[in-house]
């Protein structure tokens, strides 16, 4: 089903699946030009920092946000768009968010490949710690699943959820250290931003993919516990409310 979801997105286009590679490549080129050439932005105070490094660092944050945004924005409509599975077929509805997640992970993987190629070209290195990224993202993925289960069930009963999620993910984009380093903010604002589930994950992604540092194992353990709790609560909510899906639809 995930394969069908990925292929269906490009069905009828001339170059097909190649768009999954060219889209992030084009966006990275735009970010590199705007922030490195137009604004001459620098992430830190190091004057030896390459001109393209800001775009690479920014793009790493956008990859993390994009994974969450795609799953969250699609979750409220999952049951509504697959009503035939609810009313006519005995079907494990709880796998629908997994279908979206696997599809989103495929596109995120392509974006990550573009990021690593750009990092190698613009920053002349790719640290070995990038191999730790799946371990860093595992709790993030579990947390996304919990949120997706919750929103997929809620979206059946409250149709406004689909409008709210788009707004929330946009707010999260600017309330996360995507376009700016966390250290640039006053300390009390840093504490507030750490409540954002994206903040820690974006910071840790940059640590292992760009800076070549090991992740914060203590923080990752705490994040994992919270993510597993969110995942479990989301699944319980989905199972408790699924009995009324057919009646509402």
């Amino acid at each position: 089903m995930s394969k069908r979801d990925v292929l269906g997105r490009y069905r009828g286009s001339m170059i097909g699946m190649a768009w999954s590679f060219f889209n992030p490549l084009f966006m990275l080129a735009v970010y590199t030009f705007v922030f490195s050439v137009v604004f001459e932005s620098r992430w830190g105070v190091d004057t030896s920092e390459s001109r393209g490094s800001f775009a690479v660092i920014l793009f790493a944050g956008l990859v993390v946000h994009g994974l969450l945004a795609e799953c969250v924005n699609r979750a409220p409509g999952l049951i509504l768009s697959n009503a035939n599975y609810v009313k006519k077929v005995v079907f494990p509805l709880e796998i629908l968010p997994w279908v979206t997640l696997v599809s989103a992970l495929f596109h995120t993987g392509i974006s990550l490949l573009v990021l690593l190629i750009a990092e190698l070209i613009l920053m002349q290195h790719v640290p070995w710690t990038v191999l730790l990224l799946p371990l860093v993202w595992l709790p993030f993925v579990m947390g996304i699943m919990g949120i997706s289960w919750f929103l997929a069930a809620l979206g059946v009963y409250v149709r406004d959820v689909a409008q709210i999620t788009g707004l929330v993910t946009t707010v999260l984009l600017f309330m996360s250290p995507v376009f700016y380093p966390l250290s640039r903010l006053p300390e009390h604002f840093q504490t507030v931003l750490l409540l954002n589930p994206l903040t820690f994950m974006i910071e840790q992604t940059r640590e292992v993919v760009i800076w070549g540092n090991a992740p914060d194992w203590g923080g990752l353990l705490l994040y994992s516990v919270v993510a597993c709790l969110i995942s479990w609560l989301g699944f319980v909510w989905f199972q408790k409310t699924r009995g009324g899906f057919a009646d509402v639809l």
Side-chain angles (χ1 to χ4, degrees):
M1 292 181 68
S2 296
K3 180 181 179 181
R4 185 179 65 183
D5 185 76
V6 171
L7 294 176
R9 184 174 304 191
Y10 305 104
R11 185 176 293 116
S13 62
M14 294 182 63
I15 62 175
M17 287 286 294
W19 280 116
S20 63
F21 179 80
F22 287 119
N23 281 335
L25 184 64
F26 175 74
M27 294 308 300
L28 180 60
V30 171
Y31 294 138
T32 302
F33 174 75
V34 171
F35 289 99
S36 302
V37 179
V38 179
F39 291 119
E40 297 185 351
S41 302
R42 294 291 183 271
W43 192 260
V45 295
D46 185 3
T47 55
S48 64
E49 183 181 317
S50 65
R51 299 184 67 185
S53 60
F54 185 94
V56 172
I57 297 167
L58 181 150
F59 194 66
L62 287 174
V63 169
V64 177
H65 173 268
L67 176 59
L68 175 72
E70 181 171 354
C71 294
V72 168
N73 288 336
R74 293 183 62 185
L78 284 178
I79 306 300
L80 300 175
S81 59
N82 293 280
N84 55 315
Y85 291 141
V86 179
K87 296 185 291 185
K88 298 180 181 179
V89 184
V90 178
F91 183 83
L93 297 173
E94 63 274 9
I95 73 169
L96 290 176
W98 280 109
V99 173
T100 301
L101 177 61
V102 173
S103 173
L105 283 172
F106 170 80
H107 292 100
T108 300
I110 299 297
S111 297
L112 186 61
L113 176 62
V114 172
L115 171 65
L116 294 178
I117 293 173
E119 183 179 359
L120 185 61
I121 295 173
L122 299 175
M123 302 179 70
Q124 288 82 49
H125 80 288
V126 174
W128 70 267
T129 50
V130 70
L131 299 175
L132 298 173
L133 187 61
L135 186 61
V136 172
W137 276 10
L138 181 60
F140 183 50
V141 169
M142 294 307 299
I144 289 175
M145 277 305 304
I147 296 172
S148 297
W149 274 319
F150 177 79
L151 292 175
L154 186 62
V156 177
Y157 301 98
V158 185
R159 304 298 170 91
D160 302 86
V161 173
Q163 309 302 321
I164 297 173
T165 53
L167 177 62
V168 170
T169 52
T170 301
V171 171
L172 287 176
L173 175 63
F174 293 99
M175 292 299 292
S176 305
V178 174
F179 301 101
Y180 50 85
L182 189 62
S183 57
R184 289 277 183 91
L185 299 176
E187 189 172 342
H188 59 282
F189 281 124
Q190 293 183 28
T191 304
V192 173
L193 248 67
L194 284 172
L195 297 176
N196 179 348
L198 283 173
T199 299
F200 179 79
M201 196 50 53
I202 289 174
E203 291 287 297
Q204 295 307 301
T205 297
R206 286 173 176 150
E207 289 292 333
V208 299
V209 174
I210 297 176
W211 310 128
N213 299 323
D216 178 0
W217 297 112
L220 194 60
L221 178 61
L222 178 60
Y223 194 97
S224 300
V225 171
V226 175
C228 288
L229 179 61
I230 291 173
S231 183
W232 177 75
L233 290 174
F235 183 73
V236 169
W237 166 264
F238 187 91
Q239 295 294 74
K240 290 288 186 182
T241 56
R242 66 182 296 169
F245 290 172
D247 294 333
V248 174
L249 293 176

